Amino acid sequence: MEKVMMKLDGLTCPSCLTKIQKSVETIDGTDDVKVMFNAGKVKFTLDLAKASPDDVQANIEKMGYTVQGIKVKELSDD
């Protein structure tokens, strides 16, 4: 599992938060999805065997938002 953070552009209202969160949650392999409206970010865990960060980015951009950056960090098994 990887921890992914995406910087977003185009969040204009709090309803964007719900729209993005629900959309990302429908992607197989995503979990623990949190959209931070004021920070313009979405964070989630991702199973790379089921989906890639590019899959999630495409899903978000299909809704009309721009992904400005992606950070991926491996979750430790501690």
Side-chain angles (χ1 to χ4, degrees), residues 24-63:
V24 173
E25 287 173 340
T26 65
I27 299 169
D28 192 30
T30 61
D31 195 23
D32 197 25
V33 180
K34 291 183 177 56
V35 181
M36 292 151 289
F37 177 74
N38 290 333
K41 295 178 182 176
V42 60
K43 291 184 180 182
F44 53 93
T45 55
L46 182 65
D47 182 347
L48 294 178
K50 296 181 179 179
S52 73
D54 291 340
D55 296 330
V56 179
Q57 178 177 355
N59 184 284
I60 291 170
E61 291 183 341
K62 186 172 64 178
M63 293 186 297

Side-chain angles (χ1 to χ4, degrees), residues 1 3-4 7 10-11 14-15 18 20-21 25-26 28 30 36 38 41 44 59 62 64 71 75:
M1 295 288 281
K3 186 155 187 78
V4 181
K7 176 79 173 138
L11 299 181
S15 67
T18 305
I20 292 170
Q21 183 166 336
E25 287 173 340
T26 65
D28 192 30
T30 61
M36 292 151 289
N38 290 333
K41 295 178 182 176
F44 53 93
N59 184 284
K62 186 172 64 178
K71 291 183 183 176
L75 286 177

Side-chain angles (χ1 to χ4, degrees), residues 7-13 16 20 37 40 63-68:
K7 176 79 173 138
L8 305 177
D9 188 37
L11 299 181
T12 56
C13 61
C16 297
I20 292 170
F37 177 74
M63 293 186 297
Y65 304 100
T66 302
V67 176
Q68 295 178 320

